[in-house]
Amino acid sequence: MKKNKPRNRHKHYKVPEPGTSPGLYTIDEEALKPVIILHTYNEKSYKKEELKNINNIDKLIQSKDFCYWFDIKGLADPNIFETLYNKLDISRLVLEDITSTYQRPKLDEYDNDKYIFAVSRHLYLNDEDVLNNDQVSFILSERTLITFQETYADCFEPVRKRLEVGKGNIRIGGSSYLMYAIMDVIVDNYFTLLNFWGEELDAIEDRLYDHPDKRIMYDTQAIKRSLITIRKVAWPERDKLSDIIRTDSPLISELAKTYMKDAYDHCIQIIDFIESLKEIASANIDMNLSIISNRMNEIMKVLTIISSIFIPLTFIAGIYGMNFSREDPVTGKVMPANMPELYSPHGYVWTWIVMGVIAVAQVIYFWRKGWFK
């Protein structure tokens, strides 16, 4: 576990001004230059090529013998969105949601089943173990799937490999099955994160027993914050998958719906897993506070014992420290009731003996009471 670094940071999104007309999309100043990869495939063949733009997308998808996947990473080119609006008649509300990368997972159907728009959240840890929360957008139409990622971080490689190899249903299931495969990879990545945080919490629990310190509180709270983030994603993701399963749209094949049920079950397991880890994180925090409190009690007990031992000794030393003379140093007259012990033979030794006996007696008494255990 990395020290002194936050495990999760809130991402600051640029939101439109209040009262802005809906459907007006804006490109973020920090948006990345688009990288466009076109995957063309059917049951017998597969082709992959990089495109400079999608200006002729309507011509690229004319053949009914193939399915098409436009994998777009980076949102800095407004020409892409104007092309989608002009060539494929994609609603500007959809384009606004694609460029506004703070959307929650959802499913929207447009224009009498002409196309479907969906959003997922890609969660992953970067090299510094900081949780990143990126948006993945889908536009699904007959035989065509267009995906948008705001960064170059990639979780689609397993899907690409399956397309290249051509095993299973990936090439014969249509574009809706391809969308399922991508969503399933995104959901499965949540398991990877939760397993990582579960191991981290186990390690923190071991540190609690071996050598508790204040970093335990900070590390546990950072993991708990990350769990809250993934919980905010998993709940709407589950609802979105439920909507896909229940939709009557012809764009979603029965084969895709069947496998979507499996992804839906995974989401339920993830939500249960999150709640379990949150309870463990809270228990670790409570245990850390209890250990600190117990340690403080032990320290206070030792200090109390020391103070209790020295209180009577200090009392005796205080009395003899008053130094009231027995005789008047000028007249030699004896002062009545003025501490005759000051001039007693061996008085110093006897005072130490009395103080030692009192101290030993107190130690024996405290030991029998179990204060030293």
Side-chain angles (χ1 to χ4, degrees):
M1 179 182 295
K2 295 183 182 297
K3 302 296 183 184
N4 302 321
K5 290 185 179 180
R7 309 300 298 278
N8 185 13
R9 292 177 180 173
H10 283 302
K11 188 174 182 179
H12 298 284
Y13 299 100
K14 183 179 180 180
V15 297
E17 294 292 333
T20 302
S21 177
L24 295 178
Y25 65 87
T26 56
I27 305 299
D28 193 285
E29 297 176 355
E30 299 181 357
L32 302 177
K33 181 180 178 181
V35 175
I36 306 172
I37 305 296
L38 170 60
H39 304 265
T40 306
Y41 64 96
N42 60 15
E43 183 178 359
K44 298 180 180 179
S45 65
Y46 168 77
K47 180 183 178 182
K48 173 183 176 182
E49 59 182 316
E50 183 172 349
L51 305 177
K52 293 183 179 180
N53 55 63
I54 59 171
N55 293 340
N56 59 342
I57 187 174
D58 54 336
K59 297 179 180 179
L60 291 173
I61 62 176
Q62 283 183 346
S63 176
K64 296 184 178 181
D65 297 329
F66 295 91
C67 290
Y68 306 91
W69 173 23
F70 292 86
D71 183 9
I72 302 175
K73 297 180 181 178
L75 308 175
D77 187 2
N79 181 61
I80 292 177
F81 306 105
E82 288 301 318
T83 300
L84 292 175
Y85 175 73
N86 295 322
K87 297 293 182 68
L88 299 184
D89 198 24
I90 302 299
S91 171
R92 289 195 178 275
L93 293 174
V94 171
L95 303 180
E96 179 188 6
D97 287 348
I98 293 173
T99 55
S100 302
T101 56
Y102 50 82
Q103 305 297 320
R104 67 196 300 270
K106 65 177 182 176
L107 177 74
D108 294 330
E109 301 180 36
Y110 286 88
D111 293 344
N112 296 322
D113 297 326
K114 184 179 179 181
Y115 63 91
I116 286 176
F117 174 66
V119 174
S120 290
R121 306 298 306 187
H122 176 209
L123 302 180
Y124 61 95
L125 296 175
N126 62 16
D127 295 336
E128 297 181 350
D129 284 346
V130 177
L131 181 64
N132 286 49
N133 184 358
D134 295 340
Q135 177 172 308
V136 180
S137 304
F138 303 84
I139 297 179
L140 173 68
S141 60
E142 186 180 5
R143 306 187 322 276
T144 303
L145 176 66
I146 307 174
T147 60
F148 298 87
Q149 295 175 261
E150 55 179 309
T151 66
Y152 298 145
D154 188 22
C155 66
F156 298 165
E157 187 61 26
V159 178
R160 296 191 190 95
K161 289 183 179 179
R162 288 165 61 187
L163 274 176
E164 293 175 2
V165 174
K167 292 183 179 181
N169 299 316
I170 191 71
R171 289 195 190 173
I172 64 176
S175 55
S176 62
Y177 185 88
L178 177 63
M179 184 176 72
Y180 148 73
I182 295 174
M183 289 181 178
D184 186 58
V185 170
I186 292 174
V187 171
D188 287 346
N189 278 340
Y190 299 166
F191 278 113
T192 303
L193 291 174
L194 293 176
N195 286 330
F196 172 78
W197 288 325
E199 293 176 358
E200 292 285 276
L201 289 174
D202 290 340
I204 289 175
E205 189 171 355
D206 292 339
R207 287 164 56 194
L208 273 173
Y209 293 117
D210 296 338
H211 184 66
D213 58 74
K214 64 179 181 180
R215 286 298 312 170
I216 289 177
M217 178 77 73
Y218 304 146
D219 295 337
T220 304
Q221 184 61 32
I223 294 176
K224 191 173 181 180
R225 186 177 180 185
S226 297
L227 292 173
I228 292 174
T229 298
I230 192 172
R231 184 181 182 275
K232 290 169 61 177
V233 170
W235 276 95
E237 183 72 24
R238 184 198 65 172
D239 295 338
K240 181 196 70 179
L241 293 172
S242 176
D243 291 340
I244 294 176
I245 294 171
R246 293 185 287 105
T247 183
D248 294 329
S249 173
L251 298 177
I252 307 292
S253 67
E254 292 300 322
L255 178 65
K257 288 182 180 180
T258 300
Y259 284 93
M260 284 288 184
K261 294 178 182 178
D262 181 65
Y264 177 82
D265 291 339
H266 289 175
C267 266
I268 295 177
Q269 295 175 24
I270 286 169
I271 292 172
D272 292 340
F273 200 174
I274 292 170
E275 296 303 320
S276 298
L277 292 181
K278 283 180 62 180
E279 290 181 6
I280 294 175
S282 298
N284 282 352
I285 293 176
D286 293 341
M287 184 181 298
N288 186 55
L289 293 175
S290 297
I291 291 175
I292 293 174
S293 178
N294 289 336
R295 180 188 294 177
M296 183 62 66
N297 290 338
E298 291 296 324
I299 294 173
M300 293 303 299
K301 185 172 70 173
V302 172
L303 294 178
T304 301
I305 292 174
I306 295 174
S307 300
S308 299
I309 292 174
F310 279 92
I311 284 174
L313 308 186
T314 306
F315 174 75
I316 296 174
I319 291 176
Y320 283 91
M322 291 186 291
N323 294 326
F324 288 104
S325 178
R326 184 185 181 187
E327 296 179 359
D328 189 325
V330 177
T331 63
K333 182 181 178 181
V334 176
M335 303 292 184
N338 260 28
M339 299 180 71
E341 294 89 353
L342 287 176
Y343 300 97
S344 300
H346 310 294
Y348 177 75
V349 175
W350 283 110
T351 300
W352 270 108
I353 292 175
V354 171
M355 293 170 66
V357 169
I358 292 174
V360 171
Q362 285 183 299
V363 170
I364 294 175
Y365 175 79
F366 294 150
W367 178 73
R368 289 185 176 180
K369 285 288 186 178
W371 288 19
F372 293 108
K373 293 182 181 180

